[in-house]
Amino acid sequence: EVQLVESGGGLVQPGGSLRLSCAASGFTFSSYWMHWVRQAPGKGLVWVSHINTDGSSTTYADSVKGRFTISRDNAKNTLFLQMNSLRAEDTAVYYCARGGTSGSYDYWGQGTLVTVSS
Amino acid sequence: EIVLTQSPGTLSLSPGERATLSCRASQSISSSYLAWCQQKPGQAPRLLIYGASRRATGIPDRFSGSGSGTDFTLTISRLEPEDFAVYYCQQYGNFGQGTKLEIK
């Protein structure tokens, strides 16, 4: 069974940092692109970043470029999102998702809440 | 950047009825890359349809997708109580704003 379990969320002050993790199991992690998608309270889904299978290629939404870094450890089946210079507008539930067929996201974690507030 | 616009914003129907949800792209996209997902309150999204018309693993056949170019449709043939949720269309890193399907 495919499982994605996020952790690392919490309350952080503006300008602070957090590192999110997503532990993957039930599939060959190193064979799949992985994504982070976020959802602000009461709002829709917004793609944040993706990383290719070996970590050599990454892409970011303009809103987080230069502040967030996506990475992966294929030996530990874990995806990361390092978030620096956090802003109030980064407050959201952050989901990791597996890249599926034809650009879809075929499995999602349960999400971890990041709250940026003083 | 491609913008996906979903309509209606809210759809009020009764169990057993047919639901038709629309997703319009700001420019023509390959139907191979249009997906639909479902999100229930407090839950993660779940993939329903990929490639515009292919059901994901375990998705009941009352869910179907169609369309091409700029206009795509998700149809739920006979609504079950568990189908009342928010539905998003998606193309790569672009999501529509969602359609809330609520019980009438």
Side-chain angles (χ1 to χ4, degrees), chain B residues 17-35:
Chain B
E17 291 193 292
R18 180 184 185 91
T20 302
L21 287 66
S22 174
C23 176
R24 176 164 290 178
S26 58
Q27 62 190 86
S28 183
I29 62 176
S30 169
S31 60
S32 297
Y33 301 106
L34 194 286

PDB file of all heavy atoms in Angstrom, chain B residues 17-35:
ATOM      1  N   GLU B  17     -29.080  11.905  -8.241  1.00  0.00           N
ATOM      2  CA  GLU B  17     -29.068  12.780  -9.418  1.00  0.00           C
ATOM      3  C   GLU B  17     -27.718  12.694 -10.129  1.00  0.00           C
ATOM      4  O   GLU B  17     -26.741  12.157  -9.632  1.00  0.00           O
ATOM      5  CB  GLU B  17     -29.363  14.228  -9.016  1.00  0.00           C
ATOM      6  CG  GLU B  17     -30.792  14.450  -8.557  1.00  0.00           C
ATOM      7  CD  GLU B  17     -31.146  15.926  -8.474  1.00  0.00           C
ATOM      8  OE1 GLU B  17     -30.584  16.609  -7.597  1.00  0.00           O
ATOM      9  OE2 GLU B  17     -31.988  16.395  -9.268  1.00  0.00           O
ATOM     10  N   ARG B  18     -27.684  13.301 -11.325  1.00  0.00           N
ATOM     11  CA  ARG B  18     -26.484  13.331 -12.150  1.00  0.00           C
ATOM     12  C   ARG B  18     -25.789  14.675 -11.954  1.00  0.00           C
ATOM     13  O   ARG B  18     -26.444  15.714 -11.971  1.00  0.00           O
ATOM     14  CB  ARG B  18     -26.877  13.155 -13.615  1.00  0.00           C
ATOM     15  CG  ARG B  18     -25.753  13.154 -14.621  1.00  0.00           C
ATOM     16  CD  ARG B  18     -26.362  13.072 -16.034  1.00  0.00           C
ATOM     17  NE  ARG B  18     -25.383  12.948 -17.075  1.00  0.00           N
ATOM     18  CZ  ARG B  18     -24.956  11.771 -17.531  1.00  0.00           C
ATOM     19  NH1 ARG B  18     -25.415  10.649 -17.034  1.00  0.00           N
ATOM     20  NH2 ARG B  18     -24.074  11.726 -18.513  1.00  0.00           N
ATOM     21  N   ALA B  19     -24.481  14.639 -11.790  1.00  0.00           N
ATOM     22  CA  ALA B  19     -23.704  15.873 -11.615  1.00  0.00           C
ATOM     23  C   ALA B  19     -22.794  16.077 -12.809  1.00  0.00           C
ATOM     24  O   ALA B  19     -22.126  15.143 -13.258  1.00  0.00           O
ATOM     25  CB  ALA B  19     -22.879  15.801 -10.336  1.00  0.00           C
ATOM     26  N   THR B  20     -22.760  17.314 -13.299  1.00  0.00           N
ATOM     27  CA  THR B  20     -21.878  17.667 -14.409  1.00  0.00           C
ATOM     28  C   THR B  20     -21.054  18.878 -14.000  1.00  0.00           C
ATOM     29  O   THR B  20     -21.598  19.956 -13.749  1.00  0.00           O
ATOM     30  CB  THR B  20     -22.685  17.988 -15.676  1.00  0.00           C
ATOM     31  OG1 THR B  20     -23.492  16.851 -16.011  1.00  0.00           O
ATOM     32  CG2 THR B  20     -21.746  18.286 -16.840  1.00  0.00           C
ATOM     33  N   LEU B  21     -19.744  18.692 -13.914  1.00  0.00           N
ATOM     34  CA  LEU B  21     -18.820  19.738 -13.492  1.00  0.00           C
ATOM     35  C   LEU B  21     -17.944  20.109 -14.672  1.00  0.00           C
ATOM     36  O   LEU B  21     -17.459  19.234 -15.396  1.00  0.00           O
ATOM     37  CB  LEU B  21     -17.937  19.253 -12.337  1.00  0.00           C
ATOM     38  CG  LEU B  21     -18.567  19.103 -10.949  1.00  0.00           C
ATOM     39  CD1 LEU B  21     -19.625  18.000 -10.900  1.00  0.00           C
ATOM     40  CD2 LEU B  21     -17.470  18.843  -9.904  1.00  0.00           C
ATOM     41  N   SER B  22     -17.700  21.410 -14.834  1.00  0.00           N
ATOM     42  CA  SER B  22     -16.959  21.898 -15.987  1.00  0.00           C
ATOM     43  C   SER B  22     -15.612  22.482 -15.598  1.00  0.00           C
ATOM     44  O   SER B  22     -15.457  23.081 -14.530  1.00  0.00           O
ATOM     45  CB  SER B  22     -17.794  22.964 -16.707  1.00  0.00           C
ATOM     46  OG  SER B  22     -17.049  23.559 -17.744  1.00  0.00           O
ATOM     47  N   CYS B  23     -14.643  22.333 -16.490  1.00  0.00           N
ATOM     48  CA  CYS B  23     -13.315  22.907 -16.334  1.00  0.00           C
ATOM     49  C   CYS B  23     -12.897  23.471 -17.681  1.00  0.00           C
ATOM     50  O   CYS B  23     -12.846  22.730 -18.673  1.00  0.00           O
ATOM     51  CB  CYS B  23     -12.328  21.837 -15.868  1.00  0.00           C
ATOM     52  SG  CYS B  23     -10.600  22.369 -15.733  1.00  0.00           S
ATOM     53  N   ARG B  24     -12.646  24.759 -17.713  1.00  0.00           N
ATOM     54  CA  ARG B  24     -12.244  25.409 -18.962  1.00  0.00           C
ATOM     55  C   ARG B  24     -10.832  25.955 -18.836  1.00  0.00           C
ATOM     56  O   ARG B  24     -10.510  26.655 -17.877  1.00  0.00           O
ATOM     57  CB  ARG B  24     -13.226  26.528 -19.316  1.00  0.00           C
ATOM     58  CG  ARG B  24     -12.842  27.327 -20.558  1.00  0.00           C
ATOM     59  CD  ARG B  24     -14.005  28.126 -21.082  1.00  0.00           C
ATOM     60  NE  ARG B  24     -15.025  27.246 -21.666  1.00  0.00           N
ATOM     61  CZ  ARG B  24     -16.181  27.679 -22.173  1.00  0.00           C
ATOM     62  NH1 ARG B  24     -16.472  28.972 -22.136  1.00  0.00           N
ATOM     63  NH2 ARG B  24     -17.042  26.834 -22.679  1.00  0.00           N
ATOM     64  N   ALA B  25      -9.996  25.639 -19.808  1.00  0.00           N
ATOM     65  CA  ALA B  25      -8.611  26.113 -19.823  1.00  0.00           C
ATOM     66  C   ALA B  25      -8.485  27.389 -20.648  1.00  0.00           C
ATOM     67  O   ALA B  25      -9.199  27.578 -21.632  1.00  0.00           O
ATOM     68  CB  ALA B  25      -7.705  25.032 -20.394  1.00  0.00           C
ATOM     69  N   SER B  26      -7.562  28.252 -20.257  1.00  0.00           N
ATOM     70  CA  SER B  26      -7.371  29.533 -20.942  1.00  0.00           C
ATOM     71  C   SER B  26      -6.737  29.370 -22.316  1.00  0.00           C
ATOM     72  O   SER B  26      -6.781  30.286 -23.138  1.00  0.00           O
ATOM     73  CB  SER B  26      -6.521  30.469 -20.072  1.00  0.00           C
ATOM     74  OG  SER B  26      -5.259  29.870 -19.789  1.00  0.00           O
ATOM     75  N   GLN B  27      -6.148  28.221 -22.559  1.00  0.00           N
ATOM     76  CA  GLN B  27      -5.632  27.886 -23.875  1.00  0.00           C
ATOM     77  C   GLN B  27      -5.707  26.383 -24.044  1.00  0.00           C
ATOM     78  O   GLN B  27      -5.835  25.649 -23.059  1.00  0.00           O
ATOM     79  CB  GLN B  27      -4.204  28.399 -24.069  1.00  0.00           C
ATOM     80  CG  GLN B  27      -3.196  27.814 -23.112  1.00  0.00           C
ATOM     81  CD  GLN B  27      -1.854  28.540 -23.179  1.00  0.00           C
ATOM     82  OE1 GLN B  27      -1.647  29.551 -22.514  1.00  0.00           O
ATOM     83  NE2 GLN B  27      -0.953  28.036 -23.984  1.00  0.00           N
ATOM     84  N   SER B  28      -5.645  25.932 -25.267  1.00  0.00           N
ATOM     85  CA  SER B  28      -5.814  24.517 -25.540  1.00  0.00           C
ATOM     86  C   SER B  28      -4.720  23.693 -24.853  1.00  0.00           C
ATOM     87  O   SER B  28      -3.538  24.055 -24.888  1.00  0.00           O
ATOM     88  CB  SER B  28      -5.762  24.275 -27.049  1.00  0.00           C
ATOM     89  OG  SER B  28      -5.988  22.915 -27.337  1.00  0.00           O
ATOM     90  N   ILE B  29      -5.136  22.615 -24.224  1.00  0.00           N
ATOM     91  CA  ILE B  29      -4.190  21.719 -23.570  1.00  0.00           C
ATOM     92  C   ILE B  29      -4.410  20.303 -24.086  1.00  0.00           C
ATOM     93  O   ILE B  29      -5.511  19.965 -24.546  1.00  0.00           O
ATOM     94  CB  ILE B  29      -4.317  21.754 -22.030  1.00  0.00           C
ATOM     95  CG1 ILE B  29      -5.707  21.299 -21.578  1.00  0.00           C
ATOM     96  CG2 ILE B  29      -4.006  23.136 -21.500  1.00  0.00           C
ATOM     97  CD1 ILE B  29      -5.861  21.211 -20.064  1.00  0.00           C
ATOM     98  N   SER B  30      -3.400  19.509 -23.996  1.00  0.00           N
ATOM     99  CA  SER B  30      -3.540  18.113 -24.366  1.00  0.00           C
ATOM    100  C   SER B  30      -4.428  17.407 -23.348  1.00  0.00           C
ATOM    101  O   SER B  30      -4.248  17.533 -22.146  1.00  0.00           O
ATOM    102  CB  SER B  30      -2.169  17.436 -24.403  1.00  0.00           C
ATOM    103  OG  SER B  30      -2.326  16.036 -24.522  1.00  0.00           O
ATOM    104  N   SER B  31      -5.393  16.664 -23.866  1.00  0.00           N
ATOM    105  CA  SER B  31      -6.286  15.936 -22.950  1.00  0.00           C
ATOM    106  C   SER B  31      -5.527  14.902 -22.139  1.00  0.00           C
ATOM    107  O   SER B  31      -5.993  14.466 -21.089  1.00  0.00           O
ATOM    108  CB  SER B  31      -7.412  15.281 -23.731  1.00  0.00           C
ATOM    109  OG  SER B  31      -6.889  14.373 -24.686  1.00  0.00           O
ATOM    110  N   SER B  32      -4.344  14.547 -22.613  1.00  0.00           N
ATOM    111  CA  SER B  32      -3.541  13.575 -21.875  1.00  0.00           C
ATOM    112  C   SER B  32      -3.136  14.070 -20.496  1.00  0.00           C
ATOM    113  O   SER B  32      -2.761  13.279 -19.639  1.00  0.00           O
ATOM    114  CB  SER B  32      -2.278  13.230 -22.662  1.00  0.00           C
ATOM    115  OG  SER B  32      -2.601  12.625 -23.887  1.00  0.00           O
ATOM    116  N   TYR B  33      -3.180  15.392 -20.296  1.00  0.00           N
ATOM    117  CA  TYR B  33      -2.632  15.968 -19.067  1.00  0.00           C
ATOM    118  C   TYR B  33      -3.664  16.662 -18.200  1.00  0.00           C
ATOM    119  O   TYR B  33      -3.331  17.505 -17.389  1.00  0.00           O
ATOM    120  CB  TYR B  33      -1.479  16.908 -19.421  1.00  0.00           C
ATOM    121  CG  TYR B  33      -0.382  16.192 -20.156  1.00  0.00           C
ATOM    122  CD1 TYR B  33      -0.191  16.371 -21.522  1.00  0.00           C
ATOM    123  CD2 TYR B  33       0.445  15.285 -19.490  1.00  0.00           C
ATOM    124  CE1 TYR B  33       0.795  15.686 -22.199  1.00  0.00           C
ATOM    125  CE2 TYR B  33       1.434  14.590 -20.161  1.00  0.00           C
ATOM    126  CZ  TYR B  33       1.602  14.795 -21.521  1.00  0.00           C
ATOM    127  OH  TYR B  33       2.567  14.106 -22.193  1.00  0.00           O
ATOM    128  N   LEU B  34      -4.933  16.298 -18.347  1.00  0.00           N
ATOM    129  CA  LEU B  34      -5.977  16.884 -17.536  1.00  0.00           C
ATOM    130  C   LEU B  34      -6.463  15.852 -16.526  1.00  0.00           C
ATOM    131  O   LEU B  34      -6.822  14.725 -16.891  1.00  0.00           O
ATOM    132  CB  LEU B  34      -7.134  17.365 -18.422  1.00  0.00           C
ATOM    133  CG  LEU B  34      -8.216  18.305 -17.839  1.00  0.00           C
ATOM    134  CD1 LEU B  34      -9.167  17.588 -16.901  1.00  0.00           C
ATOM    135  CD2 LEU B  34      -7.585  19.513 -17.143  1.00  0.00           C
ATOM    136  N   ALA B  35      -6.449  16.227 -15.264  1.00  0.00           N
ATOM    137  CA  ALA B  35      -6.852  15.319 -14.202  1.00  0.00           C
ATOM    138  C   ALA B  35      -7.926  15.963 -13.332  1.00  0.00           C
ATOM    139  O   ALA B  35      -8.100  17.187 -13.335  1.00  0.00           O
ATOM    140  CB  ALA B  35      -5.646  14.938 -13.348  1.00  0.00           C
TER     141      ALA B  35
END
